[in-house]
Amino acid sequence: MEKIYITTPLYYVNDEPHIGHAYTTILADVINRYYQSIGYKTFMLTGTDEHGLKVQQAAIKNNVTPKQHVDDYVNRFKEIWKKLNIKYDYFIRTTDPSHIRNVQKILRNLYDKGDIYLDEYEGLYSVSEERFITEKEAEEGEFREIKKIKEKNYFFKMSKYQKKLISHIENNKDFIKPKTRRNEILSFLKKPLNDLCISRPKIRLEWGIEVPFDKDYVTYVWFDALLNYINGVGWNNNNEEFRNWWPANYHLMGKDIITTHAVYWPTMLMACDLELPKTLLAHGWWLTDENKMSKSIGNVVKPLDLVDEFGVDSLRYYLMRNMVLGQDASFSRESFIKRYNSDLANDYGNVINRITILIQKNFDGLCPEPGSYKEVENNIINFSNIVVSKVEDNMKKLKIHDALECTLSLIREINKYLEIKQPWKLIKVDKSQKSEAATCLYVAAELLRISSTLLYPYMPEKTILALTSLSQKEINHNLGFGQLKPNSTIKSPGVLFPRIEE
Ligand code: MSP
């Protein structure tokens, strides 16, 4: 059986979960559910990044220990994922004892191997970002609280793996997606790569994983957090459980953290003699009025507010449909309502209502038996087969919004087909089995089954209601035409997507 292992970034536990975080996690859930529905063995990992100065400072401010602080804050993420219908397999926290043990084991291995060394370093340090920065980065003005620091620290020999990394990226065109990010990383790698400072002295920062060979230091948060991707599937010196899942198929992230994932992480894996993940996918940002949504700017849209108002599926649909993977997208309440009304209330909702109500009223709530198909039926069945294979192709290429648009085109075709055939008129002439009305409604109901199955990964709640109304008790990914059984019960699920009037 084929497998898919998919991850989200570990969110900083101190952050207020917002649409940006929700987007990546829903995207992972959609891809995960899609592969599950076509019979893959899947594993989805998410979690929280819990060490570092900000947590330490927040805990002091609240008069609690850092551990008490993160134990409290982590629930906000867990609750929101529950509300957004995220079906992850494991939630990893960087304060989990097993994660800490593994990080220390890896540090020890790399130290013994000579890939980690102690050195004195003098350079610019951004306190807010908790890392050393170059002169150029300091000039660009993106970093705050910059200090000149001279101290002894441990370094990972990242430079040793530079050539190997470049050739891996060049030889694996799907390793970094989209292409713009791949080019960005390749051009970054044209300059000599520095070694990576992977420790922080405890006198400056205590809240971290202690370096196993020097109790005066803790581990740099990124070195700690990136290792979650192997620890989350049970890494323990290449044991069998781990080998079942590793390498990851997709690491999903926003474009701001592609360098840590495409440079630090693969060189760390090379040093550990582990395979590299198949694909790193960097998506764009959700913007409000052209600005990145972020807590410090104060323009954050809270996903839960929209869920409470319009339901979880419509938010999931909107986020997946309105962002072209790799590009930025603008969030606004108006665009949300517009998308909802056109695609969900008008197109999908309308098809569900029309078909189920007509069958319920005129065929005693039983799926009619179709007669022979004419050209118009053969055309739409053919169209559906094309859509099914295009959706599969788009999903495999991670063209999520294209996959959705393609499915919506099928739904619009069903509506058009109903307009042409006008079954509400045909019924008045003849509503016996195999009549033209019966044929039309059978074809439409079966196409509704197919399109609802295609929409299931995006809208798991509403599509299950639609499928249940067609007597489909579970997701049947046989999307060839003709699965619906004549005489099975068909019952209207009620209005699933009421129009939003504002
Ligand atoms: N803790 C690190 C990741 C460690 S992974 C081993 C981190 N956390 S974060 O909470 O700041 O960000 C997590 C993710 O949210 C990133 O992928 C980031 O790109 C994404 N987003 C944060 N704001 C965003 C938007 N406004 N829009 C879309 N995604 C953005 O970085």
Side-chain angles (χ1 to χ4, degrees), residues 187-199:
S187 91
F188 173 81
L189 287 170
K190 286 208 173 102
K191 285 169 278 168
L193 199 53
N194 291 329
D195 287 343
L196 181 66
C197 176
I198 53 138
S199 66

Side-chain angles (χ1 to χ4, degrees), residues 9-23:
L10 293 195
Y11 303 105
Y12 287 128
V13 74
N14 251 6
D15 277 352
E16 178 82 25
H18 64 66
I19 289 279
H21 307 134
Y23 173 75

Side-chain angles (χ1 to χ4, degrees), residues 302-320:
K302 291 194 191 153
L304 279 193
D305 294 352
L306 288 165
V307 169
D308 288 341
E309 209 176 341
F310 305 117
V312 57
D313 280 3
S314 41
L315 177 68
R316 290 173 61 111
Y317 180 84
Y318 168 82
L319 292 178
M320 294 302 113

Side-chain angles (χ1 to χ4, degrees), residues 9-12 15 18 20-21 23-24 49 222 225-226 228-229 253-257 261 283-287 292-294 323:
L10 293 195
Y11 303 105
Y12 287 128
D15 277 352
H18 64 66
H21 307 134
Y23 173 75
T24 325
D49 194 350
W222 272 102
L226 285 164
N228 93 85
Y229 297 133
M253 73 208 69
K255 62 185 180 182
D256 50 331
I257 56 172
H261 282 80
H283 61 73
W285 284 335
W286 280 96
L287 310 171
K292 181 185 176 204
M293 210 178 279
S294 82
M323 182 175 266

